[in-house]
Amino acid sequence: MTTATPARRDLRARLRGLMHEVMKFGTVGVFGVVVNFAVFNLCRHGFHWAPVRSGVLSTLVAIGINYIGYRFWVYRDRDAATRSREITLFLIFSGVGMVIENGTLWISHYTLGFESGLADNLAKNVIGLGLGTLFRFVSFRTWVFKAMPEMAGQQSRDAIGQPEMALAEKS
């Protein structure tokens, strides 16, 4: 009978934790996408605003809503000691994501000449949002919502009711 080595158990626990994080990040992201899509189409087709202006406004609204979800749900166990630094980095990386997202819309609409509502939504809400979300996920977890030191993180998870994560790390 073979047993898993400590390194394998550690790797499995880390992968499980990463999958849990991706699921929560995705849940907040889906909510942000719905808001982004609704605001974009309201501005674009309801108010007849220009596509990129509509895209920027919808992205800004989604950024505000997503910050609340990320800070207080997805990354609530991360270091919040330097909140002003966190918000600054969040806004910078969200801004870069907004440029990615709306840059694809601009290229599609103004450079390639795809001006239909469907083309605008595909460029912004599928291609641009997909690329922007990938960029945001990597940058948020790496630089914005930094992990706490291992011992402090352990105590934090125990305190906020995630004993399964704490137990997974102990085994």
Side-chain angles (χ1 to χ4, degrees):
M1 179 168 133
T2 62
T3 58
T5 63
R8 253 194 198 160
R9 278 183 282 169
D10 184 47
L11 178 61
R12 269 191 259 147
R14 288 176 57 194
L15 287 175
R16 230 176 298 135
L18 179 62
M19 285 307 300
H20 185 70
E21 179 183 341
V22 167
M23 296 297 286
K24 288 169 75 173
F25 187 91
T27 301
V28 171
V30 165
F31 187 70
V33 166
V34 169
V35 168
N36 198 334
F37 182 81
V39 172
F40 174 73
N41 283 291
L42 174 67
C43 292
R44 181 75 182 110
H45 303 292
F47 300 139
H48 304 289
W49 289 359
V52 174
R53 179 182 301 151
S54 300
V56 168
L57 178 65
S58 67
T59 304
L60 289 172
V61 172
I63 285 170
I65 289 171
N66 285 350
Y67 178 77
I68 294 167
Y70 295 141
R71 165 74 326 222
F72 298 106
W73 186 48
V74 179
Y75 297 114
R76 69 181 178 194
D77 63 337
R78 300 288 177 103
D79 186 13
T82 55
R83 188 64 51 99
S84 62
R85 174 195 161 281
E86 172 186 293
I87 291 171
T88 302
L89 289 175
F90 180 85
L91 291 175
I92 289 169
F93 290 122
S94 292
V96 172
M98 181 171 63
V99 169
I100 293 168
E101 184 178 322
N102 290 290
T104 60
L105 173 61
W106 184 86
I107 291 168
S108 171
H109 192 91
Y110 294 109
T111 303
L112 301 176
F114 298 125
E115 298 178 355
S116 71
L118 177 62
D120 286 347
N121 274 290
L122 286 174
K124 181 192 182 312
N125 293 316
V126 176
I127 298 167
L129 195 59
L131 294 171
T133 298
L134 181 62
F135 170 79
R136 287 178 187 112
F137 177 74
V138 171
S139 60
F140 289 173
R141 80 180 309 270
T142 304
W143 294 292
V144 179
F145 301 104
K146 295 184 82 147
M148 294 188 308
E150 193 59 36
M151 199 57 188
Q154 175 73 34
Q155 293 166 350
S156 174
R157 280 190 289 280
D158 290 342
I160 61 173
Q162 292 185 355
E164 69 278 358
M165 290 297 290
L167 289 174
E169 288 182 2
K170 286 181 182 178
S171 52

Coordinates of all heavy atoms in Angstrom, one line a residue, residues 86-169:
E86 N -3.7 48.5 -1.9 CA -4.5 47.5 -2.6 C -5.5 48.2 -3.5 O -5.6 47.7 -4.7 CB -5.3 46.7 -1.5 CG -6.4 45.8 -2.1 CD -7.2 45.2 -0.9 OE1 -6.7 44.4 -0.2 OE2 -8.4 45.5 -0.9
I87 N -6.2 49.2 -3.1 CA -7.1 49.9 -3.9 C -6.4 50.6 -5.1 O -6.9 50.5 -6.3 CB -7.9 50.9 -3.1 CG1 -8.9 50.2 -2.2 CG2 -8.7 51.9 -4.1 CD1 -9.6 51.1 -1.2
T88 N -5.3 51.1 -4.9 CA -4.5 51.8 -6.0 C -4.1 50.7 -7.0 O -4.3 50.9 -8.2 CB -3.2 52.5 -5.4 OG1 -3.6 53.5 -4.5 CG2 -2.4 53.1 -6.5
L89 N -3.6 49.6 -6.6 CA -3.2 48.6 -7.5 C -4.4 48.0 -8.2 O -4.4 47.7 -9.4 CB -2.4 47.5 -6.8 CG -1.0 47.8 -6.4 CD1 -0.3 46.7 -5.6 CD2 -0.1 48.2 -7.6
F90 N -5.5 47.8 -7.5 CA -6.7 47.3 -8.1 C -7.2 48.2 -9.2 O -7.5 47.7 -10.3 CB -7.8 47.1 -7.0 CG -9.1 46.6 -7.5 CD1 -9.3 45.2 -7.7 CD2 -10.1 47.4 -7.9 CE1 -10.5 44.7 -8.2 CE2 -11.3 46.9 -8.5 CZ -11.5 45.6 -8.6
L91 N -7.2 49.5 -9.0 CA -7.6 50.4 -10.0 C -6.7 50.4 -11.2 O -7.1 50.5 -12.3 CB -7.8 51.8 -9.4 CG -9.0 51.9 -8.4 CD1 -9.0 53.3 -7.8 CD2 -10.3 51.6 -9.1
I92 N -5.4 50.4 -10.9 CA -4.4 50.4 -12.0 C -4.6 49.1 -12.9 O -4.7 49.2 -14.1 CB -3.0 50.4 -11.5 CG1 -2.7 51.8 -10.9 CG2 -2.0 50.1 -12.6 CD1 -1.4 51.9 -10.2
F93 N -4.7 47.9 -12.3 CA -4.8 46.7 -13.1 C -6.2 46.6 -13.7 O -6.3 46.1 -14.8 CB -4.5 45.5 -12.2 CG -3.0 45.3 -11.9 CD1 -2.6 45.3 -10.6 CD2 -2.1 45.3 -12.8 CE1 -1.3 45.2 -10.2 CE2 -0.7 45.2 -12.5 CZ -0.3 45.1 -11.2
S94 N -7.2 47.1 -13.0 CA -8.5 47.2 -13.6 C -8.6 48.1 -14.8 O -9.2 47.8 -15.8 CB -9.6 47.6 -12.6 OG -9.7 46.6 -11.6
G95 N -7.8 49.2 -14.7 CA -7.7 50.1 -15.8 C -7.0 49.5 -17.0 O -7.5 49.7 -18.2
V96 N -6.0 48.7 -16.8 CA -5.3 48.0 -17.9 C -6.3 47.0 -18.5 O -6.4 46.9 -19.7 CB -4.0 47.3 -17.4 CG1 -3.4 46.4 -18.5 CG2 -3.0 48.4 -17.0
G97 N -7.0 46.3 -17.6 CA -8.0 45.3 -18.1 C -9.1 46.1 -18.9 O -9.6 45.5 -20.0
M98 N -9.5 47.3 -18.5 CA -10.5 48.1 -19.2 C -9.9 48.5 -20.6 O -10.7 48.4 -21.6 CB -10.9 49.3 -18.4 CG -11.9 50.2 -19.1 SD -12.5 51.5 -18.1 CE -11.1 52.5 -17.8
V99 N -8.7 48.8 -20.7 CA -8.1 49.1 -22.0 C -8.1 47.9 -22.9 O -8.4 48.0 -24.1 CB -6.7 49.7 -21.8 CG1 -5.9 49.8 -23.1 CG2 -6.7 51.1 -21.1
I100 N -7.7 46.8 -22.4 CA -7.7 45.5 -23.1 C -9.2 45.3 -23.7 O -9.4 45.0 -24.9 CB -7.2 44.3 -22.3 CG1 -5.7 44.5 -22.0 CG2 -7.5 43.0 -23.0 CD1 -5.2 43.5 -20.9
E101 N -10.1 45.3 -22.7 CA -11.5 45.0 -23.1 C -12.1 45.9 -24.1 O -12.7 45.5 -25.1 CB -12.3 45.1 -21.8 CG -13.7 44.8 -21.8 CD -14.4 44.8 -20.5 OE1 -13.8 44.5 -19.5 OE2 -15.5 45.3 -20.4
N102 N -11.9 47.2 -23.9 CA -12.5 48.2 -24.8 C -11.6 48.5 -26.0 O -12.0 49.0 -27.1 CB -12.8 49.5 -24.1 CG -14.0 49.3 -23.1 OD1 -15.1 49.1 -23.6 ND2 -13.7 49.2 -21.8
G103 N -10.3 48.1 -25.9 CA -9.4 48.2 -27.1 C -9.9 47.2 -28.2 O -9.8 47.5 -29.4
T104 N -10.3 46.0 -27.8 CA -10.8 45.0 -28.8 C -12.1 45.6 -29.4 O -12.3 45.4 -30.6 CB -11.1 43.7 -28.2 OG1 -12.0 43.8 -27.1 CG2 -9.8 43.0 -27.6
L105 N -12.9 46.3 -28.7 CA -14.1 46.9 -29.2 C -13.7 48.0 -30.2 O -14.3 48.1 -31.3 CB -15.0 47.5 -28.1 CG -16.2 48.3 -28.5 CD1 -17.2 47.5 -29.3 CD2 -16.9 48.9 -27.2
W106 N -12.8 48.8 -29.8 CA -12.4 49.9 -30.7 C -11.8 49.4 -32.0 O -12.1 49.8 -33.1 CB -11.3 50.8 -30.0 CG -10.9 52.0 -30.8 CD1 -11.5 53.2 -30.8 CD2 -9.8 52.1 -31.7 NE1 -10.9 54.0 -31.7 CE2 -9.8 53.4 -32.3 CE3 -8.8 51.2 -32.1 CZ2 -8.9 53.8 -33.2 CZ3 -7.9 51.6 -33.0 CH2 -7.9 52.9 -33.6
I107 N -10.9 48.4 -31.9 CA -10.4 47.8 -33.1 C -11.4 47.2 -34.0 O -11.5 47.4 -35.2 CB -9.3 46.7 -32.8 CG1 -8.1 47.4 -32.1 CG2 -8.9 45.8 -34.0 CD1 -7.1 46.4 -31.5
S108 N -12.4 46.4 -33.4 CA -13.4 45.8 -34.2 C -14.3 46.8 -34.8 O -14.6 46.7 -36.0 CB -14.2 44.9 -33.3 OG -15.4 44.4 -33.9
H109 N -14.7 47.8 -34.1 CA -15.7 48.8 -34.6 C -15.1 49.8 -35.5 O -15.7 50.0 -36.6 CB -16.4 49.5 -33.4 CG -17.6 50.3 -33.7 ND1 -18.9 49.8 -33.7 CD2 -17.7 51.6 -34.2 CE1 -19.7 50.7 -34.1 NE2 -19.1 51.8 -34.4
Y110 N -14.0 50.4 -35.1 CA -13.5 51.5 -35.9 C -12.4 51.1 -36.9 O -12.2 51.8 -37.9 CB -12.9 52.6 -35.0 CG -14.0 53.2 -34.2 CD1 -14.1 53.0 -32.8 CD2 -15.0 54.1 -34.8 CE1 -15.2 53.6 -32.1 CE2 -16.0 54.6 -34.0 CZ -16.1 54.4 -32.7 OH -17.1 55.0 -31.9
T111 N -11.7 50.1 -36.6 CA -10.6 49.7 -37.6 C -11.1 48.6 -38.6 O -10.8 48.7 -39.8 CB -9.4 49.1 -36.8 OG1 -8.9 50.1 -35.9 CG2 -8.2 48.8 -37.7
L112 N -11.8 47.6 -38.1 CA -12.2 46.5 -38.9 C -13.6 46.8 -39.5 O -14.0 46.1 -40.5 CB -12.2 45.2 -38.2 CG -10.9 44.7 -37.6 CD1 -11.0 43.5 -36.8 CD2 -9.8 44.6 -38.7
G113 N -14.3 47.7 -39.0 CA -15.6 48.1 -39.5 C -16.8 47.2 -39.2 O -17.8 47.3 -39.8
F114 N -16.6 46.4 -38.1 CA -17.7 45.6 -37.7 C -18.6 46.4 -36.7 O -18.3 46.6 -35.5 CB -17.2 44.3 -37.0 CG -16.4 43.4 -37.9 CD1 -15.1 43.0 -37.5 CD2 -16.9 42.9 -39.1 CE1 -14.4 42.2 -38.3 CE2 -16.2 42.1 -39.9 CZ -14.9 41.7 -39.5
E115 N -19.7 47.0 -37.2 CA -20.4 48.0 -36.5 C -21.8 47.5 -36.0 O -22.5 48.3 -35.4 CB -20.6 49.2 -37.4 CG -19.3 49.8 -37.7 CD -19.4 51.1 -38.6 OE1 -20.6 51.4 -39.1 OE2 -18.4 51.7 -38.9
S116 N -22.1 46.3 -36.2 CA -23.4 45.8 -35.7 C -23.4 45.6 -34.2 O -22.3 45.5 -33.5 CB -23.8 44.4 -36.3 OG -22.9 43.4 -35.8
G117 N -24.6 45.5 -33.6 CA -24.7 45.3 -32.2 C -24.1 44.0 -31.7 O -23.4 43.9 -30.7
L118 N -24.3 43.0 -32.6 CA -23.7 41.7 -32.3 C -22.1 41.7 -32.3 O -21.5 41.2 -31.4 CB -24.2 40.6 -33.3 CG -23.6 39.2 -33.1 CD1 -23.9 38.6 -31.8 CD2 -24.1 38.3 -34.3
A119 N -21.6 42.4 -33.3 CA -20.1 42.5 -33.4 C -19.6 43.3 -32.3 O -18.5 42.9 -31.7 CB -19.8 43.2 -34.7
D120 N -20.3 44.4 -31.8 CA -19.8 45.1 -30.7 C -19.8 44.3 -29.4 O -18.8 44.3 -28.6 CB -20.7 46.4 -30.5 CG -20.4 47.5 -31.5 OD1 -19.4 47.4 -32.2 OD2 -21.2 48.4 -31.5
N121 N -20.8 43.5 -29.2 CA -20.9 42.6 -28.0 C -19.9 41.5 -28.1 O -19.3 41.2 -27.0 CB -22.3 42.1 -27.9 CG -23.2 43.0 -27.1 OD1 -23.1 43.2 -25.9 ND2 -24.2 43.6 -27.9
L122 N -19.7 40.9 -29.2 CA -18.7 39.9 -29.3 C -17.3 40.4 -29.0 O -16.5 39.9 -28.3 CB -18.7 39.2 -30.7 CG -19.9 38.3 -30.9 CD1 -19.9 37.8 -32.4 CD2 -19.8 37.1 -30.0
A123 N -17.0 41.6 -29.6 CA -15.6 42.2 -29.5 C -15.4 42.6 -28.0 O -14.3 42.3 -27.5 CB -15.5 43.4 -30.4
K124 N -16.4 43.2 -27.4 CA -16.2 43.7 -26.0 C -16.4 42.6 -25.0 O -15.6 42.4 -24.1 CB -17.1 44.9 -25.8 CG -16.9 45.4 -24.3 CD -18.0 46.4 -23.9 CE -17.8 47.0 -22.6 NZ -17.5 46.0 -21.5
N125 N -17.6 42.0 -25.1 CA -18.0 41.1 -24.0 C -17.6 39.7 -24.1 O -17.8 38.9 -23.2 CB -19.6 41.2 -23.8 CG -20.0 42.6 -23.4 OD1 -19.4 43.2 -22.5 ND2 -21.0 43.1 -24.0
V126 N -17.0 39.3 -25.2 CA -16.5 37.9 -25.3 C -15.0 38.0 -25.4 O -14.3 37.5 -24.5 CB -17.1 37.2 -26.5 CG1 -16.5 35.8 -26.7 CG2 -18.6 37.1 -26.4
I127 N -14.5 38.6 -26.5 CA -13.0 38.6 -26.7 C -12.3 39.5 -25.7 O -11.4 39.0 -25.0 CB -12.7 39.0 -28.2 CG1 -13.3 37.9 -29.1 CG2 -11.2 39.1 -28.4 CD1 -13.3 38.4 -30.6
G128 N -12.7 40.7 -25.7 CA -12.1 41.7 -24.8 C -12.2 41.3 -23.3 O -11.3 41.4 -22.6
L129 N -13.4 41.0 -22.9 CA -13.7 40.6 -21.5 C -12.9 39.4 -21.1 O -12.4 39.3 -20.0 CB -15.1 40.5 -21.3 CG -15.6 40.4 -19.8 CD1 -15.2 41.7 -19.1 CD2 -17.1 40.3 -19.8
G130 N -12.8 38.4 -22.0 CA -12.0 37.2 -21.8 C -10.6 37.5 -21.5 O -10.0 37.0 -20.6
L131 N -10.0 38.3 -22.4 CA -8.6 38.6 -22.3 C -8.3 39.5 -21.1 O -7.4 39.3 -20.3 CB -8.1 39.4 -23.5 CG -8.0 38.5 -24.8 CD1 -7.7 39.4 -26.0 CD2 -7.0 37.4 -24.7
G132 N -9.2 40.4 -20.8 CA -9.1 41.3 -19.7 C -9.3 40.5 -18.4 O -8.6 40.8 -17.4
T133 N -10.2 39.6 -18.3 CA -10.4 38.8 -17.1 C -9.2 37.9 -16.8 O -8.8 37.8 -15.6 CB -11.6 37.9 -17.3 OG1 -12.8 38.7 -17.4 CG2 -11.8 37.0 -16.1
L134 N -8.6 37.3 -17.8 CA -7.4 36.5 -17.6 C -6.2 37.4 -17.0 O -5.6 37.1 -16.0 CB -6.9 35.9 -18.9 CG -5.7 35.0 -18.8 CD1 -5.9 33.8 -17.9 CD2 -5.3 34.5 -20.2
F135 N -6.1 38.6 -17.6 CA -5.1 39.5 -17.1 C -5.4 39.9 -15.6 O -4.5 40.0 -14.8 CB -5.0 40.8 -18.0 CG -4.2 41.9 -17.4 CD1 -2.8 41.9 -17.4 CD2 -4.8 43.0 -16.7 CE1 -2.0 42.9 -16.9 CE2 -4.0 44.0 -16.1 CZ -2.7 43.9 -16.2
R136 N -6.6 40.3 -15.3 CA -7.0 40.7 -14.0 C -6.8 39.6 -13.0 O -6.3 39.8 -11.9 CB -8.5 41.1 -14.0 CG -8.7 42.5 -14.6 CD -10.2 42.8 -14.6 NE -10.5 44.0 -15.4 CZ -11.2 44.0 -16.5 NH1 -11.7 42.8 -17.0 NH2 -11.5 45.1 -17.1
F137 N -7.2 38.3 -13.3 CA -7.0 37.2 -12.4 C -5.6 37.1 -11.9 O -5.3 37.0 -10.8 CB -7.5 35.9 -12.9 CG -7.3 34.8 -12.0 CD1 -8.1 34.6 -10.9 CD2 -6.3 33.8 -12.3 CE1 -7.9 33.5 -10.0 CE2 -6.1 32.8 -11.4 CZ -6.9 32.6 -10.3
V138 N -4.7 37.1 -12.9 CA -3.3 36.9 -12.6 C -2.7 38.1 -11.8 O -2.1 37.9 -10.8 CB -2.4 36.7 -13.9 CG1 -1.0 36.7 -13.6 CG2 -2.8 35.4 -14.6
S139 N -3.1 39.3 -12.2 CA -2.5 40.4 -11.5 C -3.1 40.6 -10.1 O -2.4 41.0 -9.2 CB -2.7 41.7 -12.4 OG -4.0 42.0 -12.6
F140 N -4.4 40.4 -10.0 CA -5.1 40.6 -8.7 C -4.5 39.6 -7.6 O -4.2 40.0 -6.5 CB -6.6 40.3 -8.7 CG -7.3 41.4 -9.5 CD1 -8.7 41.3 -9.7 CD2 -6.7 42.6 -9.9 CE1 -9.4 42.2 -10.4 CE2 -7.4 43.6 -10.5 CZ -8.8 43.4 -10.8
R141 N -4.4 38.3 -8.0 CA -3.9 37.3 -7.0 C -2.4 37.5 -6.8 O -1.9 37.1 -5.8 CB -4.3 35.9 -7.4 CG -3.4 35.3 -8.5 CD -3.9 33.8 -8.8 NE -4.1 33.0 -7.6 CZ -3.1 32.2 -7.1 NH1 -1.9 32.2 -7.6 NH2 -3.4 31.5 -6.0
T142 N -1.7 38.0 -7.7 CA -0.2 38.2 -7.6 C 0.2 39.4 -6.9 O 1.0 39.4 -6.0 CB 0.5 38.1 -9.0 OG1 0.1 36.9 -9.6 CG2 2.0 38.2 -8.8
W143 N -0.4 40.6 -7.2 CA 0.0 41.9 -6.7 C -1.0 42.6 -5.9 O -0.6 43.4 -5.0 CB 0.5 42.8 -7.9 CG 1.7 42.2 -8.6 CD1 2.9 42.2 -8.0 CD2 1.7 41.7 -9.9 NE1 3.8 41.6 -9.0 CE2 3.1 41.3 -10.1 CE3 0.8 41.6 -10.9 CZ2 3.5 40.8 -11.3 CZ3 1.2 41.0 -12.1 CH2 2.6 40.6 -12.3
V144 N -2.3 42.4 -6.1 CA -3.3 43.3 -5.4 C -3.7 42.6 -4.1 O -3.5 43.2 -3.0 CB -4.5 43.5 -6.3 CG1 -5.5 44.4 -5.5 CG2 -4.1 44.2 -7.6
F145 N -4.2 41.5 -4.1 CA -4.7 40.8 -2.9 C -3.6 39.8 -2.5 O -3.7 38.6 -2.7 CB -6.0 40.1 -3.1 CG -7.1 41.0 -3.6 CD1 -7.5 41.1 -4.9 CD2 -7.7 41.9 -2.7 CE1 -8.5 42.0 -5.3 CE2 -8.7 42.8 -3.1 CZ -9.1 42.8 -4.4
K146 N -2.6 40.3 -1.9 CA -1.4 39.4 -1.5 C -1.8 38.5 -0.4 O -2.5 38.8 0.5 CB -0.2 40.3 -1.1 CG 0.3 41.2 -2.3 CD 1.5 41.9 -1.9 CE 2.6 41.0 -2.0 NZ 3.9 41.6 -2.4
A147 N -1.2 37.3 -0.5 CA -1.4 36.3 0.5 C -0.7 36.7 1.8 O 0.4 37.3 1.8 CB -0.9 34.9 0.1
M148 N -1.4 36.4 2.9 CA -0.7 36.6 4.2 C 0.3 35.6 4.5 O 0.3 34.5 3.9 CB -1.8 36.6 5.3 CG -2.8 37.7 5.2 SD -3.9 37.9 6.5 CE -4.6 36.3 6.8
P149 N 1.3 35.9 5.4 CA 2.2 34.8 5.7 C 1.5 33.6 6.2 O 0.4 33.6 6.7 CB 3.0 35.5 6.9 CG 2.8 36.9 6.7 CD 1.5 37.1 6.0
E150 N 2.1 32.4 6.0 CA 1.5 31.1 6.2 C 0.8 31.0 7.5 O -0.3 30.6 7.6 CB 2.5 30.0 5.9 CG 1.9 28.6 5.8 CD 0.8 28.6 4.7 OE1 1.1 29.2 3.7 OE2 -0.2 27.9 4.9
M151 N 1.5 31.3 8.6 CA 0.9 31.1 10.0 C -0.2 32.1 10.2 O -1.3 31.7 10.7 CB 2.0 31.4 11.0 CG 1.7 30.8 12.3 SD 1.4 29.0 12.1 CE 0.8 28.6 13.7
A152 N -0.1 33.3 9.7 CA -1.2 34.3 9.9 C -2.4 33.9 9.0 O -3.5 34.0 9.5 CB -0.8 35.7 9.5
G153 N -2.2 33.3 7.8 CA -3.2 32.9 7.0 C -4.0 31.7 7.6 O -5.2 31.6 7.5
Q154 N -3.2 30.8 8.3 CA -3.8 29.7 9.0 C -4.8 30.2 10.0 O -5.9 29.7 10.1 CB -2.7 28.8 9.6 CG -3.2 27.7 10.4 CD -3.8 26.6 9.6 OE1 -3.3 26.4 8.5 NE2 -4.8 25.9 10.0
Q155 N -4.3 31.1 10.9 CA -5.2 31.6 11.9 C -6.4 32.3 11.3 O -7.5 32.2 11.9 CB -4.4 32.5 12.8 CG -3.3 31.8 13.6 CD -2.3 32.7 14.2 OE1 -2.3 33.9 13.9 NE2 -1.5 32.2 15.1
S156 N -6.2 33.1 10.2 CA -7.3 33.8 9.6 C -8.4 32.8 9.1 O -9.6 33.1 9.3 CB -6.8 34.7 8.5 OG -7.8 35.2 7.8
R157 N -8.0 31.7 8.4 CA -8.9 30.8 7.9 C -9.7 30.1 9.0 O -10.9 29.9 8.9 CB -8.2 29.7 7.0 CG -8.0 30.2 5.6 CD -7.5 29.1 4.7 NE -6.2 28.7 5.0 CZ -5.1 29.3 4.7 NH1 -5.1 30.4 4.0 NH2 -3.9 28.8 5.0
D158 N -9.0 29.8 10.1 CA -9.7 29.2 11.3 C -10.7 30.2 11.8 O -11.8 29.8 12.2 CB -8.7 28.9 12.4 CG -7.8 27.7 12.0 OD1 -8.2 26.9 11.0 OD2 -6.8 27.5 12.6
A159 N -10.4 31.5 11.9 CA -11.2 32.5 12.5 C -12.5 32.8 11.6 O -13.5 33.1 12.1 CB -10.5 33.8 12.7
I160 N -12.4 32.6 10.3 CA -13.5 33.0 9.4 C -14.3 31.8 9.0 O -15.1 31.9 8.1 CB -13.0 33.8 8.2 CG1 -12.1 33.0 7.3 CG2 -12.5 35.1 8.6 CD1 -11.7 33.6 6.0
G161 N -14.1 30.7 9.6 CA -15.0 29.5 9.4 C -14.6 28.7 8.2 O -15.5 28.2 7.5
Q162 N -13.4 28.6 7.9 CA -13.0 27.7 6.8 C -12.0 26.6 7.3 O -10.9 26.4 6.9 CB -12.3 28.5 5.7 CG -13.2 29.4 5.0 CD -12.4 30.1 3.8 OE1 -11.2 29.9 3.6 NE2 -13.2 30.8 3.0
P163 N -12.6 25.8 8.3 CA -11.7 24.8 8.9 C -11.3 23.7 7.9 O -10.2 23.1 8.1 CB -12.6 24.2 10.0 CG -14.0 24.5 9.6 CD -13.9 25.8 8.8
E164 N -12.0 23.5 6.8 CA -11.6 22.5 5.9 C -10.3 22.8 5.2 O -9.5 22.0 4.9 CB -12.7 22.2 4.9 CG -13.0 23.3 3.9 CD -13.9 24.4 4.4 OE1 -14.4 24.4 5.5 OE2 -14.1 25.4 3.7
M165 N -10.1 24.1 4.9 CA -8.9 24.6 4.3 C -7.7 24.4 5.3 O -6.6 24.0 5.0 CB -8.9 26.0 3.8 CG -9.8 26.2 2.6 SD -9.2 25.3 1.2 CE -7.8 26.3 0.8
A166 N -8.0 24.8 6.6 CA -7.0 24.6 7.6 C -6.6 23.2 7.9 O -5.5 22.8 8.0 CB -7.5 25.3 8.9
L167 N -7.6 22.3 7.8 CA -7.3 20.9 8.0 C -6.6 20.3 6.8 O -5.7 19.5 7.0 CB -8.6 20.1 8.2 CG -9.3 20.3 9.6 CD1 -10.7 19.6 9.6 CD2 -8.5 19.9 10.7
A168 N -6.9 20.7 5.6 CA -6.2 20.3 4.4 C -4.8 20.6 4.5 O -3.9 19.9 4.0 CB -6.9 20.9 3.2
E169 N -4.4 21.8 5.1 CA -3.0 22.2 5.1 C -2.3 21.4 6.2 O -1.1 21.2 6.1 CB -2.9 23.7 5.4 CG -3.3 24.5 4.2 CD -3.2 26.0 4.5 OE1 -2.8 26.4 5.6 OE2 -3.6 26.7 3.6

